Amino acid sequence: MKDRIGTADDAAILHALAAPDETELARLDAWWRANNYLTVGQIYLRGNPLLREPLTPEHIKPRLLGHWGTSPGLSLIYAHVSRLIRLTGQQAIYLAGPGHGGPALVAAGYLEGTYSEVYPGVGQDEAGLLRLFRQFSSPGGIPSHVSVTTPGSIHEGGELGYVLVHAFGAVMDNPDLLAVAVVGDGEAETGPLEGSWKGVSFVNPARDGAVLPVLHLNGAKIAGPTVLARKDPAEVRVLFEGHGYQVIEVDAEDLPGSHHRFAAALADAWGRIREIQRAARDGGGWDGSRPRWPLIILRSPKGWTGPEEVDGVRVTGSWRSHQVPLSGVRDNPEHLAILERWLRSYRPEELFDDAGATVAAVRDLPPRGDLRMSASPHANGGLLTRDLDLPDFRDYAVDVPAPAKLRVESTRRLGELLRDVYRRNTDTFRLFCPDETNSNRLGAVFEASDRAFMERVTDDDVAIGRDGRVMEVLSEHNCHGWLEGYTLTGRHGMFATYEAFAMVSASQTVQHGKWLQEAGHLPWRAKVPSLNILLTSTAWRNDHNGFSHQGPGLIQVVLTQRGDIARVYLPPDANCLLSVADHCLRSRSYINLIVIDKQPQLQWLSMPDAVAHCAQGAGIWEWAGTDDGSDDPDIVLACAGDVVTMETVAAAQILRERLPGLRVRVVNVVDLMTLVRPRDHPHGMSPTHFTELFTDTVDVVFAFHGYPGAIHQLVHGRPDVDRFRVRGFVEQGTTTTPFDMTVRNRTSRYHLVLDAINNARRLPRGAAELSDWCERQLLRHEAYVVEHLEDMPEVRDWSLGDWAARG
């Protein structure tokens, strides 16, 4: 950015911004009218795009879809921010919280020329205008939201509530960027948005860019009034002053007064932002306290410039303008006439030339090149992405001389890796975690960075301060959304949370997945760093917290995403976790879900073996079973997940020692998507490899970390899928012991042995006795935990090779 604030030009630049002359007013008004015209045209027209002839029913789309009410306000803000950029050189992106204002942002990209650059078929002429109109909310066209197909967008808006978290994430470690975040007053009622205003408590003006929230109060949502619009303005002002903002209020309804007032407000806001940044960056006397960032409250009529009344009922300024104010125009001549008057009120003949291109007054308002908000590389973050400088993950390996002898907190090793990722990447990597970094054993990162915090700090605080870059706030929505904004603008990160609480932000995972899926079909969208989600404090080890903390549902959520973006990893130990994490941090445009617990757990594989196992995604652990490979086994014990892996290997040991004639194969799965057919997922193992692991005919007892139905879903289409007997979490839990969690959900080693006996294709002598023994062990367990308040010693202290001594 041309840093003009702080020079002798300050007063002149700010005066020019605040007080547009007649030429500038004409440009603003022409651009705004053109944008409104294109917005209405997208909703209604399939022909006659420039009204060269009287409007007829044949010119109207058969299905009228879209949202008009919020669009004129979005266009007004966009016009003025574009002018600010042209005059100052400020890099900026525009996030439209009212996502249904899609046609306004599509129109803006078209008027800036970007749309025609990325979609050459939508040219800057009458034919291009017709294509622009016909494609909107139409088969084979584009959605009604400010979606991934909209140049300049990093925010869909279809699910309300996340515009501010995306904006704050976008400016972290992005000092030259201004993110203008328009918050709709309906959106402002959502829980995630209500919790997002605190982002100013985490933005450091010395290192980060700035977010300018614009609360757009137009009075109504889809069918009624909004809370903030009906509150006393004084109460609204006090509310946001309490959040720490400097409130600037604008009433917009009259013209040209509205342009004058909004220009002055925007100049005021931008001047304050630059003063804050100059003080923090140039030795301007900043004391390190949290600045009071500006916030604009814009009050304008809903559906502004649209029909005042229809059929004697008020439309403009009411909820009736929210979507399509005139829905019967093909069949109602009076409505058709109102629509034509409405469209002609923008005087399109003044805005477009004979060929259908925009006139100079419209073209001259926005900036040029990459400074156009629809062309900003920050909104196509893959263009700016730099590979992480990653240490060799093998340097953090756990020494595993033999399987299941050593217990280690696996995520603690990951924390050590992430610490050094911080040190090597001082402005391109952040960890986002809801107040649980230490709890999840990732606290080594605090050796490299404090937690970010711009509020006051006391002597009791540890590893917290204004220069920190570890992001902790007790909100999954904030952490998840910050990471999305961070990655979509080209930086890397990880979101770590307790497994059950990942469901709080699960819909954000879904929406981000949809974004990545559609972006993959757009050649002009560059691939961005993946959304890496680490789930720890898992269902199987939340025996101390109880049933509320026992829920592995996010696995199921990610599995519903398309195979081109969804990845689910269940590393069984620290070395596998390190290998998986390295792969995920290097990847692009995926949702990588990694699930592993934080508690001390048995370690299975040396680092070379872990690397090979993770590369394959699934493999036979020959040392755990009795299958020598000469023939198909009698039973396959499969597992995916750390706790159920321990139970599976323990079950195999019981069978080896108490039923030695039974041939048992143990298969461990790290990459869950390898179970899928290759036609359904790029990670799907070949039919030959699947047969090598699971055979085509032998029954498989599969112990799974999550809900059993997931495995049945994944192996659909594989040979004889009815032979898969899956044990997993079946919503049985409470505050209990670790092993009792497996017993309650019938995934314990004893249940797995019983399943093996019941489903093996042949049974050696002694099977009945072993079944009885397992039943007695389960009864003994039930009595033992009630009396001793802990698990039986042979379970609690189990490690491979010592079963015979304890049995």
Side-chain angles (χ1 to χ4, degrees):
M1 185 184 73
K2 298 175 182 177
D3 195 356
R4 300 180 180 180
I5 297 297
T7 72
D9 295 327
D10 283 6
I13 293 291
L14 288 173
H15 178 74
L17 283 171
D21 59 22
E22 292 303 316
T23 300
E24 288 286 87
L25 278 175
R27 288 172 175 168
L28 283 164
D29 186 66
W31 194 95
W32 187 49
R33 283 188 286 123
N35 207 81
N36 287 335
Y37 180 83
L38 296 182
T39 297
V40 181
Q42 289 177 81
I43 294 173
Y44 285 97
L45 298 185
R46 62 182 294 181
N48 195 13
L50 286 171
L51 301 184
R52 305 291 196 195
E53 56 186 287
L55 206 57
T56 68
E58 289 71 30
H59 299 143
I60 307 301
K61 294 179 178 181
R63 299 173 69 239
L64 300 180
L65 301 169
H67 290 69
W68 162 246
T70 189
S71 294
L74 291 176
S75 301
L76 180 83
I77 299 165
Y78 200 104
H80 282 265
V81 176
S82 291
R83 175 175 171 268
L84 180 148
I85 296 167
R86 177 169 53 81
L87 293 178
T88 66
Q90 172 71 58
Q91 298 179 48
I93 57 174
Y94 188 103
L95 294 88
H100 283 294
L105 273 293
V106 170
Y110 181 81
L111 291 177
E112 290 184 322
T114 313
Y115 209 91
S116 299
E117 293 168 11
V118 299
Y119 302 112
V122 186
Q124 296 286 309
D125 53 24
E126 186 170 0
L129 277 176
L130 183 59
R131 179 77 177 271
L132 183 78
F133 290 174
R134 289 177 62 91
Q135 70 175 9
F136 179 75
S137 285
S138 298
I142 62 172
S144 66
H145 298 163
V146 186
S147 69
V148 66
T149 60
T150 308
S153 174
I154 65 166
H155 175 72
E156 166 88 16
E159 183 187 17
L160 299 178
Y162 309 122
V163 66
L164 273 181
V165 291
H166 288 159
F168 281 114
V171 303
M172 291 173 184
D173 296 321
N174 214 348
D176 294 331
L177 184 65
L178 172 66
V180 178
V182 184
V183 179
D185 50 355
E187 178 184 29
E189 297 178 5
T190 66
L193 199 288
E194 284 275 20
S196 299
W197 298 106
K198 68 176 71 72
V200 287
S201 298
F202 300 89
V203 169
N204 183 328
R207 179 191 58 223
D208 303 325
V211 173
L212 175 59
V214 181
L215 176 60
H216 183 204
L217 297 181
N218 58 30
K221 43 188 182 278
I222 193 169
T226 58
V227 174
L228 289 178
R230 292 290 177 90
K231 278 184 176 293
D232 186 308
E235 290 185 347
V236 178
R237 171 182 281 274
V238 169
L239 172 66
F240 291 106
E241 287 176 343
H243 281 301
Y245 292 92
Q246 205 157 18
V247 179
I248 305 168
E249 298 180 78
V250 183
D251 289 326
E253 184 169 7
D254 61 309
L255 294 170
S258 297
H259 284 304
H260 283 292
R261 290 190 295 277
F262 195 82
L266 187 59
D268 186 7
W270 188 77
R272 295 185 190 192
I273 288 170
R274 297 300 292 132
E275 288 174 4
I276 291 168
Q277 292 176 336
R278 187 182 70 247
R281 298 173 188 180
D282 301 336
W286 180 44
D287 63 3
S289 62
R290 174 184 53 76
R292 295 188 70 85
W293 296 95
L295 175 153
I296 295 175
I297 298 177
L298 171 65
R299 293 180 173 88
S300 69
K302 196 173 186 74
W304 189 15
T305 72
E308 292 289 335
E309 290 186 355
V310 177
D311 298 332
V313 177
R314 181 186 176 201
V315 174
T316 296
S318 83
W319 55 268
R320 296 180 184 89
S321 66
H322 182 81
Q323 294 176 301
V324 181
L326 295 161
S327 58
V329 288
R330 283 168 61 95
D331 304 316
N332 187 321
E334 183 177 342
H335 285 196
L336 183 64
I338 295 173
L339 174 61
E340 184 165 2
R341 289 196 299 272
W342 178 12
L343 284 163
R344 292 191 185 278
S345 73
Y346 300 117
R347 306 193 298 280
E349 67 279 1
E350 299 177 5
L351 307 173
F352 303 92
D353 64 19
D354 291 342
T358 53
V359 300
V362 177
R363 292 195 305 272
D364 290 346
L365 178 77
R368 301 287 182 260
D370 287 351
L371 284 178
R372 296 170 295 173
M373 287 187 284
S374 59
S376 172
H378 295 284
N380 193 2
L383 298 175
L384 303 175
T385 298
R386 307 193 308 267
D387 289 342
L388 285 173
D389 177 11
L390 292 175
D392 189 338
F393 67 92
R394 298 168 185 82
D395 293 343
Y396 308 86
V398 174
D399 183 17
V400 183
K405 297 293 187 184
L406 176 68
R407 293 182 187 270
V408 167
E409 294 171 330
S410 296
T411 55
R412 196 172 294 280
R413 293 302 175 101
L414 175 62
E416 295 169 3
L417 171 69
L418 296 181
R419 172 198 62 203
D420 295 336
V421 175
Y422 260 100
R423 287 172 172 166
R424 290 169 174 245
N425 304 272
T426 56
D427 61 356
T428 54
F429 176 83
R430 291 199 188 200
L431 175 67
F432 301 81
C433 188
D435 191 34
E436 298 154 359
T437 304
N438 275 324
S439 173
N440 287 324
R441 313 300 193 262
L442 302 175
V445 295
F446 296 129
E447 299 171 25
S449 172
D450 289 345
R451 302 171 182 88
F453 201 56
M454 293 300 300
E455 301 294 348
R456 63 184 180 88
V457 176
T458 72
D459 293 340
D460 292 330
D461 294 325
V462 176
I464 187 167
R466 72 186 191 195
D467 295 323
R469 295 179 57 257
V470 179
M471 307 309 297
E472 279 197 351
V473 62
L474 196 53
S475 165
E476 287 77 13
H477 290 124
N478 274 252
C479 290
H480 198 299
W482 288 346
L483 175 58
E484 289 174 351
Y486 199 70
T487 59
L488 287 171
T489 49
R491 280 72 50 75
H492 307 257
M494 179 175 286
F495 168 47
T497 187
Y498 287 9
E499 183 179 49
F501 298 157
M503 294 303 291
V504 172
S505 56
S507 61
Q508 290 179 274
T509 306
V510 172
Q511 293 297 326
H512 191 76
K514 291 177 183 293
W515 180 280
L516 294 177
Q517 289 166 20
E518 291 306 296
H521 302 312
L522 300 171
W524 58 271
R525 283 277 185 189
K527 289 186 177 296
V528 296
S530 296
L531 185 76
N532 300 309
I533 303 175
L534 173 69
L535 302 187
T536 184
S537 298
T538 63
W540 300 98
R541 283 298 177 265
N542 256 295
D543 43 272
H544 58 297
N545 276 321
F547 198 36
S548 64
H549 286 51
Q550 297 162 359
L554 195 69
I555 293 175
Q556 211 84 11
V557 170
V558 174
L559 290 181
T560 64
Q561 305 290 298
R562 293 181 197 161
D564 52 353
I565 65 103
R567 306 288 185 268
V568 180
Y569 300 98
L570 293 155
D573 65 4
N575 289 337
C576 289
L577 173 61
L578 291 166
S579 179
V580 165
D582 178 81
H583 171 77
C584 293
L585 291 172
R586 295 178 188 276
S587 69
R588 296 288 186 275
S589 290
Y590 296 147
I591 290 178
N592 293 315
L593 179 61
I594 308 170
V595 186
I596 187 170
D597 195 66
K598 67 185 182 184
Q599 300 293 350
Q601 54 189 200
L602 289 168
Q603 302 297 301
W604 307 101
L605 302 178
S606 67
M607 181 56 82
D609 289 341
V611 170
H613 184 50
C614 292
Q616 194 174 40
I620 298 172
W621 285 2
E622 295 179 355
W623 48 266
T626 58
D627 172 31
D628 61 7
S630 61
D631 197 1
D632 282 349
D634 298 316
I635 195 72
V636 175
L637 297 183
C639 49
D642 46 10
V643 169
V644 292
T645 291
M646 178 177 67
E647 293 307 303
T648 298
V649 175
Q653 185 185 37
I654 294 171
L655 290 167
R656 181 173 63 247
E657 295 179 353
R658 293 179 175 271
L659 206 61
L662 189 72
R663 293 194 299 272
V664 178
R665 175 179 298 174
V666 175
V667 175
N668 180 262
V669 179
V670 175
D671 180 353
L672 206 58
M673 313 315 286
T674 60
L675 298 175
V676 182
R677 294 177 300 181
R679 75 174 83 169
D680 298 323
H681 196 283
H683 285 198
M685 68 178 78
S686 68
T688 301
H689 187 200
F690 191 89
T691 298
E692 288 175 351
L693 296 186
F694 298 104
T695 80
D696 288 340
T697 58
V698 174
D699 278 25
V700 179
V701 175
F702 203 121
F704 177 51
H705 176 92
Y707 295 108
I711 300 300
H712 293 296
Q713 172 187 336
L714 292 168
V715 300
H716 173 76
R718 295 294 192 177
D720 189 15
V721 294
D722 288 344
R723 64 198 172 95
F724 280 76
R725 271 75 177 171
V726 185
R727 296 290 187 180
F729 186 77
V730 290
E731 290 294 334
Q732 296 297 318
T734 185
T735 301
T736 186
T737 66
F739 184 66
D740 193 55
M741 277 296 297
T742 68
V743 172
R744 286 172 177 271
N745 289 276
R746 303 182 68 81
T747 58
S748 76
R749 59 199 66 184
Y750 305 124
H751 288 99
L752 299 179
V753 170
L754 290 169
D755 280 351
I757 292 171
N758 292 336
N759 294 285
R761 61 181 182 176
R762 68 172 191 88
L763 286 177
R765 182 175 299 175
E769 289 83 353
L770 180 54
S771 293
D772 291 342
W773 180 81
C774 287
E775 296 288 0
R776 292 196 303 271
Q777 287 294 94
L778 289 169
L779 291 173
R780 177 169 168 251
H781 156 78
E782 183 179 2
Y784 190 94
V785 295
V786 171
E787 180 179 355
H788 298 280
L789 310 181
E790 61 179 349
D791 288 320
M792 299 183 296
E794 63 265 39
V795 170
R796 186 180 66 244
D797 303 326
W798 178 86
S799 63
L800 193 62
D802 64 357
W803 181 267
R806 294 183 177 276

